[in-house]
DNA sequence: TAATTGGGTACCATTTTAGTCCTGTATAAA
DNA sequence: TTTATACAGGACTAAAATGGTACCCAATTA
């Protein structure tokens, strides 16, 4: 299904929540309340986002989390990578060494191109887009079609 | 990682193998040999592809598998869906009923737009592309960029 | 009728994921 | 300096998904 993990979903929701009030410091408990998810789980997610450098944290009274940089400079790919690791479609596309089956595979190159296209797409969607409640109007039909046609 | 399952990877490899010899009937054992994967696993994958309507099978002596339609009319999205179910990024984007958290989610709409863009991309890549050993040249930089800009 | 080849399904082992909890540490206010 | 607050890090468990195998049945053809 090419599905995101549930934690990644949480991460996006939480990041969006923070992005809507960028000047404030957000405690984990407050965020959990705001998005109606269990505190420990939200907390775990936040820690991962800090480790990935998307959030900065402040301990102690009045502490909490803030964006590490403007929402327009944080991409969907960043958020996904923070929770799930590098965005890649196949195992061989992230392994260092060659895949044992490279000789008989025959699709590796083109899969990687598709993977790259998806990554580029995800890098072009920012947290600012996601946090905005007004829809992004994606004119997917035409530009995307042109990608496949390029090979024909 | 937005990664495909390993079986999906196998499916793509096997489909590409069949697509390169579209007129022949391919027995599961022969395909397993050709792609250097265990027979039972390849067999399982083939059954899923038949059930999804991407391959047709013939039992008995000289039986085997063939493409159900030309490789140019089978998409990457078809293959992924055959193994993993419908292509969707989030759980809520495939569930019938509303998500309980819809009220506090705040990113649902735009995630779905991203999901749609990816699906459209995957639908634009055909098995003919994947089976071709010459690379598809994807000019991803420009057209994809234009998608995000459309919201700005 | 016998050999071949796919269909369907059940099953198990392993890995991944989700979720919780506990202990430690930094901060700020009293 | 003490104390309450809030994050850091990691261990741990339970549940689910995944990968892989095996078995028996059905269809086809020689």
């Amino acid at each position: 299904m090419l599905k995101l993990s549930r934690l990644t979903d949480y991460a996006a929701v939480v990041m969006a929540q923070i992005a809507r009030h960028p000047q404030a410091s957000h405690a984990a408990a407050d965020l959990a309340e705001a998005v109606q998810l269990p505190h420990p789980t939200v907390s775990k997610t936040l820690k991962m986002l800090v480790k990935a450098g998307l959030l900065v944290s402040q301990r102690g009274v009045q502490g909490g989390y803030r964006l590490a940089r403007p929402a327009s400079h944080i991409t969907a790919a960043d958020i996904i990578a923070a929770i799930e690791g590098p965005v890649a479609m196949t195992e061989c596309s992230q392994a260092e060494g060659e895949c044992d089956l490279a000789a008989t595979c025959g699709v590796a190159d083109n899969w990687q191109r598709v993977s790259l296209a998806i990554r580029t797409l995800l890098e072009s969607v920012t947290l600012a887009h996601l946090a905005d409640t007004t829809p992004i109007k994606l004119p997917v039909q035409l530009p995307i079609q042109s990608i496949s046609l390029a090979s024909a």
Side-chain angles (χ1 to χ4, degrees), chain A residues 23-111:
Chain A
Q23 65 288 0
S25 191
H26 300 263
D30 296 345
L31 288 168
E33 171 68 18
V35 301
Q36 285 292 296
L37 290 171
H39 179 189
T41 301
V42 169
S43 182
K44 181 181 188 174
T45 307
L46 288 165
K47 290 171 197 170
M48 289 192 263
L49 292 166
V50 169
K51 200 183 293 182
L54 304 186
L55 293 177
V56 290
S57 61
Q58 170 81 10
R59 297 192 192 181
V61 182
Q62 299 297 327
Y65 296 91
R66 296 162 187 271
L67 298 183
R69 52 182 190 268
S72 58
H73 288 72
I74 294 175
T75 70
D78 289 332
I79 297 171
I80 294 170
I83 308 295
E84 308 190 15
V87 173
M89 282 181 71
T90 57
E91 281 177 37
C92 66
S93 61
Q94 59 179 348
E96 289 299 317
E98 283 289 311
C99 169
D100 293 345
L101 304 170
T104 52
C105 175
V107 297
D109 288 348
N110 284 331
W111 258 149

Side-chain angles (χ1 to χ4, degrees), chain A residues 84-150:
Chain A
E84 308 190 15
V87 173
M89 282 181 71
T90 57
E91 281 177 37
C92 66
S93 61
Q94 59 179 348
E96 289 299 317
E98 283 289 311
C99 169
D100 293 345
L101 304 170
T104 52
C105 175
V107 297
D109 288 348
N110 284 331
W111 258 149
Q112 298 212 16
R113 275 164 233 282
V114 173
S115 184
L116 174 63
I118 291 177
R119 195 177 321 133
T120 304
L121 171 59
L122 290 173
E123 283 166 357
S124 75
V125 176
T126 72
L127 177 57
H129 293 136
L130 294 178
D132 196 340
T133 50
T134 66
I136 1 177
K137 293 178 193 70
L138 293 173
V140 284
Q141 297 309 23
L142 293 88
I144 295 269
Q145 288 293 3
S146 72
I147 288 169
S148 73
L149 294 177

